[in-house]
Amino acid sequence: MTERAATAEPSDHVDAGTDVDAGADAGANADGKSFRQLVSHPDSTLSTAGAPFRQGSAPLRPEELQGSTVVVKFGGHAMVDEALQQSFAKDIVDLWHAGLRPVVVHGGGPQINAMLDRLDMETRFEAGLRVTTPEAMEVVRMVLTGRVQRDLVGHINAHGPFAVGMTGEDAHTMTAVRRAAWVDGRPVDIGLVGDIVDVNPGMVRTLLEQGHIPVVSPVARGEDGQVYNVNADLAASALAVALGAERLVMLTDVEGLYADWPHSTDVIEHLTADALDAMLPELASGMLPKMEGCLRAVRGGVRKAHVLDGRVPHAVLRGVLDESSPGTTVVPDPLIDTASLIGNAPAGANDITANA
C-alpha cells in the first residue's frame, strides 16, 4: 500500500478575519509581545518559568480563536528528542497565553518499544495498530502513565503550574470496546486494543475552566472493566469532537500526506473530508490512524484538523496561529446552498421528476 495525497492546492482555507498579521497589532500579551511576534519569533516569546499562575491574562487574538479549544496529539520523533520536547512544551504554554485552551493527548510508541525490548517481549503491528497482549498491556499502561505523561507534564510545568496529567480511565473520560482489525480483507487479532465508543469530557472541561492544560494518556476502560490500549490519534480525535474543539493537531514524522509516495514528495496542503475518505483505503498503515482521526474529527464538528511535521521546531504554534507550518489541513465538506442552485437554474431544470 502507498501513502497518497493530492498535489498542493491553493491556500483558500483561511477565512477572512483570521489572518494573524492583519490583526497582530491589535493587542499584545503581558510582556508586550504582539500576536505577530508570537508566530514570527517563537523563541523570544514571553518566559513563564517561575511566573505566577494568571488565569485570564491572555492577550488579544483573532476573534475566531478567542477562547477556543485546541486538541494536540503529541507523538513521533519529537517524543524522543529533548530539544523538540521542550519546543513543544513552550508552544503549548504560548497557546495558553495567546488565549486558547490547549489539550494534549500523547502517544508513546518509541518508549513502549524500548521497554518491551528490555523485557524481551515481542513488538508487532497490524493495520497500523500495536498488537497488545495482556502482558504488553501492563507495559503500555506503565510507560504511558508513569513515564511519558510525567515527562511531558514536567516540560510544560517548567513554564508555570499549568499541566495536569490524567488518563482516559479517570472519571470515565473515555470508554472503549475491543477493536476489530482487518488486513487485506481478513480479520486479525490485535489483542487489547480499544476503540472509543463514549467520551465524558467533564473532567477535561473542569481543568480547562480552571486554567489548566490537561495532558491525557490514551488508556481507556471498557464497560466490562477491561483496560484497553487506545491509539493516541483516534483518542485525540474523539476528545476533540466531545469538547467541541476548534482545531485538532496531529504531529508526525513526515511533512504531511504525500501525493504518491514513494514516487513523489508532493504534499497536500488542503483537502476536504470526502476527498480524504476516498483516499483512506490506499494509505499506508502508519498514516492511516492519523488521517482516520482527522476525518472523524471534521465530520464530528471540529472545524480544521492539521497534520504537521513534528520535526520542525514550533510547528504547533505556527500551525495553529497562522497555519504556516508544513503539513496537511483537513476541513469539512462545503455545504451546498440548494436554494441558490434552484434559484439560478435554467427554466424547467428544477423539476427533476418532470424531466425524468
Side-chain angles (χ1 to χ4, degrees):
M1 291 185 289
T2 59
E3 289 182 11
R4 291 186 63 250
T7 54
E9 296 178 13
S11 237
D12 57 355
H13 55 285
V14 180
D15 296 333
T18 67
D19 183 83
V20 174
D21 287 340
D25 295 329
N29 61 37
D31 284 6
K33 298 289 185 184
S34 71
F35 218 78
R36 179 185 292 128
Q37 289 171 305
L38 270 173
V39 178
S40 301
H41 305 286
D43 287 317
S44 64
T45 54
L46 61 97
S47 173
T48 58
F53 186 99
R54 297 173 299 166
Q55 186 171 358
S57 63
L60 296 175
R61 55 275 186 191
E63 187 68 25
E64 175 198 0
L65 297 176
Q66 206 166 59
S68 61
T69 299
V70 177
V71 176
V72 183
K73 186 267 180 168
F74 182 58
H77 181 70
M79 299 197 69
V80 293
D81 184 299
E82 184 69 21
L84 289 176
Q85 288 180 36
Q86 294 180 9
S87 170
F88 172 81
K90 192 171 190 304
D91 278 6
I92 294 299
V93 174
D94 283 343
L95 287 179
W96 184 92
H97 277 286
L100 284 75
R101 307 201 308 174
V103 177
V104 178
V105 178
H106 67 85
Q111 294 88 337
I112 293 171
N113 290 343
M115 182 59 71
L116 290 173
D117 287 343
R118 287 179 58 186
L119 298 173
D120 198 24
M121 297 174 66
E122 180 186 22
T123 297
R124 186 163 60 92
F125 290 84
E126 295 282 0
L129 301 170
R130 181 184 300 277
V131 177
T132 308
T133 64
E135 295 78 16
M137 186 65 229
E138 293 183 14
V139 176
V140 168
R141 197 180 190 190
M142 174 183 67
V143 172
L144 290 179
T145 65
R147 180 185 171 188
V148 178
Q149 181 198 98
R150 304 322 308 163
D151 288 348
L152 186 51
V153 167
H155 282 302
I156 294 174
N157 284 345
H159 299 276
F162 299 107
V164 176
M166 61 178 291
T167 79
E169 296 180 74
D170 297 333
H172 290 179
T173 298
M174 297 179 184
T175 302
V177 297
R178 189 162 179 150
R179 180 181 175 118
W182 296 77
V183 175
D184 297 329
R186 61 179 178 83
V188 293
D189 183 7
I190 54 176
L192 298 178
V193 176
D195 210 358
I196 296 173
V197 293
D198 185 60
V199 178
N200 175 7
M203 178 59 69
V204 177
R205 283 204 177 106
T206 297
L207 291 172
L208 289 172
E209 289 166 1
Q210 292 175 349
H212 292 298
I213 299 172
V215 177
V216 185
S217 300
V219 179
R221 187 176 294 271
E223 292 183 352
D224 57 358
Q226 177 64 60
V227 178
Y228 292 98
N229 175 24
V230 178
N231 178 271
D233 300 313
L234 300 180
S237 173
L239 188 56
V241 171
L243 290 169
E246 169 75 13
R247 304 282 177 88
L248 170 66
V249 176
M250 304 278 201
L251 292 186
T252 185
D253 287 339
V254 294
E255 296 171 313
L257 194 58
Y258 289 120
D260 189 19
W261 181 262
H263 307 293
S264 170
T265 56
D266 289 338
V267 173
I268 190 170
E269 293 181 356
H270 177 252
L271 78 166
T272 63
D274 277 352
L276 175 57
D277 197 3
M279 297 164 62
L280 283 182
E282 299 182 33
L283 296 184
S285 59
M287 188 61 79
L288 183 58
K290 293 175 179 57
M291 302 317 299
E292 181 183 346
C294 289
L295 181 62
R296 291 185 185 186
V298 297
R299 284 187 168 170
V302 176
R303 201 168 73 85
K304 291 182 181 179
H306 306 285
V307 178
L308 303 179
D309 189 345
R311 301 167 301 177
V312 178
H314 303 294
V316 174
L317 190 66
R318 292 191 173 107
V320 172
L321 294 189
D322 73 346
E323 301 186 29
S324 65
S325 268
T328 298
T329 297
V330 182
V331 297
D333 296 307
L335 296 176
I336 298 176
D337 187 350
T338 55
S340 174
L341 290 176
I342 292 174
N344 294 325
N350 298 332
D351 192 347
I352 298 175
T353 304
N355 292 318

